[in-house]
Amino acid sequence: MTKPPVTKKSSKKLEISYWISPSPVGRLLLVGNPDGLQALQFQDGAHPLDILPTWTRSREPFHAALEQLKEYFDGSRTRFQIALNLQGTSFQRHVWKALQRIPYGRTVSYGEIARQVGSPKASRAVGAANGQNPVSIIVPCHRVIGANGHLVGYGGGLPIKTALLELEQHQTDKKSL
């Protein structure tokens, strides 16, 4: 099981909520607090996220995320507009921001992301940060491929990565007709 997200310590304790939603690529676990979405994980894959007993099961905090995910899967949404509360190192956060700039329906290599974040020799570190992305799909780590153009690694498994890329390519092809 994957470790749950940790909220930064602050003077106020924020309630963490979660919801599990079906999707075309399996059950998705959404986790967040009033500051934003902290995790979007595939629950049917090799690394489901543990649900902590202190979390509150509630759909309401995820209304916008669930609606936008539905639109993404039906092909009508190419960019997400959801408040995120991502916890990670400075390097990880830079990588995750770079991932959000990858255009819908396109792929880039780990090396290209490394160049974008100012560390051209850090493609392995980019791969590690990519693998720690807590908000799959919305922070589109599935759009990162190996330097040779092959699909490599994905927390949800390569079949899900393939399905997401095919969905985006299909929608991109339809719009260019």
Side-chain angles (χ1 to χ4, degrees):
M1 291 273 187
T2 303
K3 287 174 43 179
V6 176
T7 302
K8 286 184 180 175
K9 305 275 190 251
S10 71
S11 58
K12 61 179 181 173
K13 179 147 172 73
L14 296 176
E15 181 176 287
I16 296 178
S17 299
Y18 77 94
W19 188 255
I20 296 176
S21 178
S23 83
V25 293
R27 294 178 310 135
L28 300 175
L29 171 66
L30 292 86
V31 180
N33 65 27
D35 290 339
L37 187 67
Q38 292 177 286
L40 174 65
Q41 298 288 313
F42 302 102
Q43 288 302 96
D44 297 329
H47 307 287
L49 192 65
D50 291 329
I51 296 171
L52 298 181
T54 56
W55 294 354
T56 302
R57 183 176 180 269
S58 176
R59 186 181 193 285
E60 183 54 36
F62 307 109
H63 178 75
L66 291 167
E67 183 62 28
Q68 289 183 36
L69 284 163
K70 178 186 167 297
E71 293 167 354
Y72 170 81
F73 285 117
D74 74 17
S76 64
R77 175 168 293 275
T78 61
R79 294 187 63 86
F80 291 93
Q81 297 174 310
I82 297 169
L84 300 176
N85 183 15
L86 305 180
Q87 307 297 314
T89 67
S90 176
F91 182 77
Q92 287 172 328
R93 290 191 312 271
H94 284 317
V95 169
W96 299 336
K97 286 274 187 208
L99 297 177
Q100 292 176 66
R101 291 189 296 269
I102 303 170
Y104 180 90
R106 302 260 320 269
T107 57
V108 300
S109 69
Y110 292 98
E112 177 57 31
I113 296 294
R115 286 187 287 283
Q116 288 178 22
V117 299
S119 300
K121 296 182 181 187
S123 57
R124 286 182 186 227
V126 164
N130 203 48
Q132 294 298 310
N133 171 20
V135 185
S136 296
I137 302 172
I138 293 170
V139 175
C141 53
H142 61 277
R143 296 179 188 155
V144 183
I145 59 173
N148 61 5
H150 292 123
L151 300 186
V152 293
Y154 191 62
L158 288 180
I160 291 176
K161 184 173 189 165
T162 300
L164 294 172
L165 291 173
E166 286 176 354
L167 167 86
E168 292 181 11
Q169 190 59 55
H170 177 71
Q171 293 303 323
T172 302
D173 290 347
K174 275 180 30 180
K175 290 177 182 168
S176 66
L177 293 178

